[in-house]
Amino acid sequence: MMPETNQSFVAEFILLGFSFNPSTTPLLFSAFLMTYLLIILGNGLITILICLDSHLHTPMYFFIGILSILDVGYTTTTVPQMLAHLASQKKTISFASCVAQMYIFLVLGIMESWLFAIMSIDRYVAICHPLRYKVIMSPWLCGVMVIFCGLWGVISALVYTVFAMRLPYCGSNKINHFFCEVPAVLKLACADTSVNDRVDFILGFTVILVPLSLILVIYVNIFIAILRIRSAQGRLKAFSTCASHITVVTMFCVPAMVMYMKPGSEASLEEDKKLALFYNVISAFLNPIIYSLRNKDIQRAFLKVTGWGRAFQGRTAGEQRSKTHDAQSMP
């Protein structure tokens, strides 16, 4: 029998990734690479537009900008390594790198979860207290809220990571996942993980369920306030303001809650990989589309920053003058 000290230390892990036919690897690599580049482009563009256009220097767009930064960091923690493993035969990750990836991923994910709750508070104040909106949602308060998200993410992620990596890991070092996520890593532990299940549930309650419950309560109050609006156009505008946020929250929080709040014994690794892909990659890919396609402020800022807006206005004005001149020339 090997000594316990040798059994309890694993120098590196092997990430098995997705269970697909090897012939589909080039297609998968191309799809994930294109998706990742679009995530960087979309979220990066939104962040740049919010920084450059003074009309977007409002609490709502400040939080959207933070969300875009988190999405870029969130996917960059996992996707480049997944692409590297798809492109090569070597699929190993060192123990230290695995811990770092797990911790950074959790920090950014927990920050994003609480940021959604803060964004719902912003919508509540904007719709229910519009005259006091700028006074209540001051730059100081917005900054404090984001700092709270960061501190809560750092502390909660540290507890998650410490409890996961304090366990002995012996035997197989193959992680059936495309990155080092807590539920997948715990499957390799050579000890009872019931304490970890309880810790994960409690922390999952504070970092997912509490913000989600807060969002639900706030939106119930928002909808009650919207129904009191007499103008049908006003109600429609208020509903459309909230629709983007509700969609994004649902795509991120529901899969994350299913992943982190169920007991480890009930975890299906293949289902977990699909869930992780959804809230890690798909939600970050769709966020810029959801926030920009129907958002006239973002579209206007894009035209202004690129200069296309002035060119379009100049062409329209020229066409209008030409039509006026033609009309005046007619007998």
Side-chain angles (χ1 to χ4, degrees):
M1 177 181 283
M2 293 176 66
E4 186 178 341
T5 55
N6 290 336
Q7 289 183 344
S8 61
F9 180 76
V10 173
E12 63 180 16
F13 293 105
I14 299 172
L15 293 168
L16 298 180
F18 295 99
S19 303
F20 290 116
N21 192 311
S23 62
T24 63
T25 299
L27 182 62
L28 279 175
F29 179 86
S30 301
F32 284 129
L33 177 61
M34 184 61 67
T35 302
Y36 178 63
L37 292 176
L38 289 173
I39 288 170
I40 300 295
L41 178 64
N43 287 286
L45 182 61
I46 285 179
T47 305
I48 292 169
L49 291 176
I50 291 170
C51 291
L52 294 181
D53 193 336
S54 58
H55 293 96
L56 300 182
H57 293 176
T58 63
M60 183 180 80
Y61 289 109
F62 171 70
F63 294 132
I64 290 175
I66 297 296
L67 176 64
S68 295
I69 293 170
L70 290 176
D71 280 338
V72 170
Y74 203 56
T75 51
T76 301
T77 307
T78 60
V79 177
Q81 183 190 57
M82 178 176 65
L83 291 172
H85 287 176
L86 284 171
S88 67
Q89 295 296 321
K90 187 179 180 182
K91 303 182 186 299
T92 58
I93 181 172
S94 68
F95 187 89
S97 297
C98 184
V99 173
Q101 185 184 58
M102 182 187 298
Y103 179 70
I104 295 170
F105 181 82
L106 286 168
V107 169
L108 297 175
I110 293 167
M111 282 184 66
E112 191 160 323
S113 179
W114 271 101
L115 183 66
F116 286 135
I118 289 172
M119 292 171 76
S120 68
I121 294 172
D122 172 70
R123 292 298 83 212
Y124 171 78
V125 177
I127 292 171
C128 299
H129 304 282
L131 299 178
R132 300 177 58 202
Y133 176 64
K134 289 185 178 180
V135 176
I136 296 173
M137 299 302 294
S138 64
W140 180 84
L141 181 61
C142 293
V144 168
M145 286 178 165
V146 171
I147 290 171
F148 164 78
C149 287
L151 290 176
W152 194 257
V154 167
I155 294 169
S156 300
L158 186 63
V159 175
Y160 262 121
T161 308
V162 168
F163 268 86
M165 305 317 291
R166 71 181 178 84
L167 296 171
Y169 291 90
C170 52
S172 175
N173 66 338
K174 295 179 180 180
I175 301 175
N176 192 5
H177 211 306
F178 61 92
F179 72 100
C180 289
E181 193 166 29
V182 174
V185 174
L186 287 178
K187 287 285 186 181
L188 305 182
C190 302
D192 182 19
T193 60
S194 57
V195 174
N196 292 76
D197 288 341
R198 286 194 290 271
V199 170
D200 289 353
F201 182 83
I202 293 169
L203 285 174
F205 185 83
T206 61
V207 303
I208 300 175
L209 205 57
V210 169
L212 200 58
S213 301
L214 182 62
I215 291 168
L216 182 62
V217 170
I218 288 171
Y219 269 106
V220 167
N221 285 277
I222 288 175
F223 290 146
I224 291 172
I226 290 175
L227 292 174
R228 291 174 183 165
I229 299 174
R230 295 180 180 180
S231 166
Q233 186 177 1
R235 286 197 298 270
L236 183 62
K237 183 178 179 181
F239 271 122
S240 64
T241 304
C242 301
S244 300
H245 184 238
I246 293 172
T247 305
V248 170
V249 168
T250 303
M251 288 192 309
F252 178 85
C253 289
V254 173
M257 183 171 63
V258 172
M259 171 75 84
Y260 281 92
M261 295 195 68
K262 65 182 177 183
S265 57
E266 296 181 11
S268 167
L269 294 175
E270 292 303 319
E271 289 181 6
D272 285 354
K273 281 188 278 188
K274 294 174 185 176
L275 285 171
L277 187 65
F278 195 86
Y279 64 73
N280 179 212
V281 179
I282 305 301
S283 64
F285 171 72
L286 293 176
N287 284 354
I289 299 173
I290 293 168
Y291 279 118
S292 62
L293 278 184
R294 296 178 60 190
N295 191 311
K296 292 182 180 179
D297 292 334
I298 294 287
Q299 294 170 4
R300 196 178 297 116
F302 177 76
L303 293 174
K304 178 183 175 182
V305 170
T306 57
W308 293 351
R310 289 190 295 271
F312 178 76
Q313 288 174 357
R315 187 167 63 251
T316 304
E319 291 174 355
Q320 186 65 35
R321 284 195 298 269
S322 177
K323 288 179 181 178
T324 303
H325 181 268
D326 292 343
Q328 291 174 348
S329 300
M330 293 178 66

